[in-house]
Amino acid sequence: MSYIKGLKCRECGRPYPKEPIYVCEYCFGPLEVDYDYEKIKKALSRQEIASRPKNLWRYRELLPIDGKPTDGLDSGFTPLIRAKNLEMALGVKELYIKDDSVNHPTLSFKDRVVAVALSKAKEFGFDTVACASTGNLANSVAAQAAVAGLKRYIFIPADLELGKVIGTLVYNPVLVAVEGNYDQVNRLCSEVALKYKWAFVNINIRPYYAEGSKTFGFEIVEQLGWKTPKHVIVPCAGGSLITKIYKGIKEFSKLGLIDKVDSKIYAAQARGCCPIITAVKDNTDIIKPVKPHTIAKSLAIGNPADGVYAVETVKESGGWAEDVTDDEIVEAIKLLAETEGVFTETAGGVTLGVTKKLIKQGRIPKDESIVVCITGNGLKTQEVVAERIGRPIKIKPNLASFEENLNRR
Ligand SMILES: *Cc1c(COP(=O)(O)O)cnc(C)c1O
Ligand SMILES: [Zn+2]
């Protein structure tokens, strides 16, 4: 049963068939999935959704596949944690962590988009998948394509964190490390995609792939008891996740699953790569590409494909944008670990660091509900905290040595 009418140009509205294409031939705008919302309205209710297994496919009518989902059947439905200790530390009343650092199977929100991309790539009949990645996408495509029995080609910048490289290679893909930054990797992949008949999840499958991000927003609303949070802080790389979280919340409203959309969406980036934040602050919808220089490598996209839509999301929702330094990222990673027991990667440090700043600035009031989007796992970026945490106390294996060293602290 299909709920998709086809694809549609986001800029000029021209319709396109359901094919592995991503750009409008007339105006070069990005193509988007066009759903039959009337039909979805008849199929989906809160009760229906609640009765389904706890994974991202519980919203499948709002995801762009025609048949049954085949991949990522255990992905999504990650915890929404009420963060009492963090509330105290930040002086706010109601704060939640949406924790995709424990998403299945590769511990980042990218498991959502890849679940959808691979299910769609199979519907199209591809036997090979590929991607350009800042790290987490590489992990997820490598893992899920291995399970699916698909050939897999992964392109990354050569200077990625060891955890992300090993966390890709272990699934035995062809891993291509390009001597350049992500934007150069992506440009190369666009050329490769023209020549080879592969499903590039974030190039020719992108309209379908990106829809998977909506489930992050769907879950927040469902887990809050079908209520929208007042403030949502989202880390941005290419700007797709932030755009799709907002789209997802608006779709729930369109379908009558919630009363109204009442969420302000905030963009978070690292100071060393913040073209989206700069555009919001300069009140322009023109994104000026930058050369990334930050420890937040998963967010290091200098020329964000969905940057203009990320800015639009922030403005339309009444949110704002802020950036943090590398030091502030590390401080925030430690704060989240010490207060809530969640070890996030650099992207999570960016999000919490920015949240802290927005509360301090008074942009986010202290008495309204806040959701902090934690999108990746700290075990993958250990090098950034390694020198900034305590050391183990080394002792001999006897009680005397223990007590002697303990007293010396
Ligand atoms: C990819 C990624 C993002 C942001 O993704 P975009 O949709 O490109 O903005 C956020 N957090 C982590 C950990 C990521 O890997
Ligand atoms: Zn167009």
Side-chain angles (χ1 to χ4, degrees):
M1 180 90 103
S2 177
Y3 296 87
I4 335 170
K5 292 196 232 170
L7 297 178
K8 201 167 84 180
C9 174
R10 171 136 192 181
E11 290 300 325
C12 74
R14 256 195 189 75
Y16 286 85
K18 282 181 259 182
E19 281 170 13
I21 49 177
Y22 65 105
V23 64
C24 177
E25 290 169 18
Y26 295 89
C27 76
F28 301 106
L31 302 184
E32 263 206 322
V33 179
D34 189 17
Y35 294 91
D36 184 344
Y37 289 109
E38 284 311 309
K39 195 166 161 190
I40 296 173
K41 202 166 182 173
K42 291 194 189 100
L44 266 192
S45 63
R46 290 182 184 182
Q47 292 80 350
E48 174 59 31
I49 292 170
S51 73
R52 294 179 178 174
K54 289 194 161 57
N55 62 64
L56 61 87
W57 293 108
R58 66 205 266 111
Y59 315 102
R60 81 179 120 79
E61 288 84 351
L62 289 161
L63 294 170
I65 58 165
D66 290 323
K68 278 215 163 95
T70 52
D71 299 80
L73 301 180
D74 295 292
S75 298
F77 221 81
T78 54
L80 182 77
I81 301 160
R82 178 72 188 263
K84 288 276 185 192
N85 291 336
L86 196 51
E87 283 172 4
M88 209 132 54
L90 300 179
V92 296
K93 221 175 102 195
E94 188 181 356
L95 186 135
Y96 303 85
I97 300 297
K98 177 59 177 168
D99 188 11
D100 261 21
S101 76
V102 290
N103 208 349
H104 178 84
T106 64
L107 310 176
S108 88
F109 105 88
K110 293 298 197 301
D111 288 322
R112 300 174 183 275
V113 280
V114 173
V116 175
L118 296 200
S119 286
K120 197 66 201 174
K122 283 186 195 163
E123 284 187 356
F124 283 135
F126 285 103
D127 66 359
T128 304
V129 293
C131 70
S133 172
T134 57
N136 284 311
L137 184 61
N139 296 170
S140 191
V141 168
Q144 296 199 49
V147 176
L150 296 163
K151 281 176 265 181
R152 43 210 184 273
Y153 290 81
I154 316 272
F155 297 77
I156 54 169
D159 70 345
L160 274 197
E161 301 95 340
L162 188 60
K164 299 246 166 99
V165 174
I166 291 174
T168 301
L169 283 173
V170 71
Y171 305 109
N172 198 22
V174 178
L175 180 63
V176 184
V178 181
E179 290 173 2
N181 60 35
Y182 174 82
D183 299 285
Q184 294 169 305
V185 175
N186 195 44
R187 211 169 309 129
L188 166 66
C189 283
S190 298
E191 287 179 49
V192 176
L194 281 176
K195 196 159 175 192
Y196 295 81
K197 295 215 172 332
W198 298 342
F200 264 91
V201 301
N202 54 343
I203 301 178
N204 55 338
I205 306 295
R206 188 173 181 90
Y208 309 94
Y209 151 96
E211 288 289 291
S213 289
K214 292 190 306 190
T215 63
F216 196 98
F218 292 154
E219 289 174 17
I220 291 172
V221 174
E222 187 185 352
Q223 289 170 316
L224 281 174
W226 301 99
K227 281 203 304 262
T228 52
K230 286 274 191 201
H231 309 276
V232 186
I233 304 90
V234 189
C236 299
S240 177
L241 175 64
I242 188 170
T243 310
K244 296 292 181 173
I245 287 176
Y246 196 47
K247 180 183 180 187
I249 296 175
K250 287 196 286 187
E251 283 181 337
F252 267 12
S253 161
K254 195 182 303 196
L255 295 170
L257 293 167
I258 52 173
D259 294 338
K260 57 179 172 32
V261 180
D262 191 17
S263 299
K264 293 183 174 163
I265 315 286
Y266 302 81
Q269 293 196 296
R271 176 93 26 104
C273 181
C274 58
I276 293 170
I277 311 310
T278 303
V280 171
K281 289 183 171 175
D282 290 351
N283 195 25
T284 170
D285 52 9
I286 295 161
I287 303 285
K288 242 170 73 197
V290 300
K291 217 167 176 190
H293 234 320
T294 169
I295 56 169
K297 295 186 180 183
S298 57
L299 304 181
I301 298 185
N303 188 11
D306 291 300
V308 289
Y309 303 118
V311 172
E312 193 181 290
T313 297
V314 168
K315 282 191 184 161
E316 188 190 322
S317 71
W320 190 240
E322 200 47 87
D323 53 73
V324 280
T325 63
D326 285 358
D327 269 353
E328 290 169 319
I329 294 169
V330 175
E331 283 312 308
I333 290 173
K334 289 166 64 178
L335 176 65
L336 185 62
E338 285 181 51
T339 52
E340 298 301 329
V342 173
F343 184 14
T344 186
E345 69 148 84
T346 46
V350 168
T351 317
L352 182 57
V354 163
T355 304
K356 234 169 107 176
K357 219 170 228 184
L358 291 167
I359 292 168
K360 211 169 202 175
Q361 291 169 354
R363 291 248 177 211
I364 297 180
K366 298 192 166 186
D367 57 349
E368 296 182 347
S369 58
I370 305 166
V371 171
V372 180
C373 300
I374 295 300
T375 47
N377 194 298
L379 292 170
K380 298 186 191 185
T381 61
Q382 295 182 40
E383 45 275 77
V384 304
V385 289
E387 302 299 324
R388 303 275 295 270
I389 49 184
R391 292 270 165 277
I393 306 165
K394 260 203 191 136
I395 63 165
K396 296 274 180 306
N398 59 62
L399 185 61
S401 174
F402 170 64
E403 291 185 329
E404 183 185 321
N405 282 281
L406 198 68
N407 291 336
R408 218 183 275 157
R409 289 190 72 197

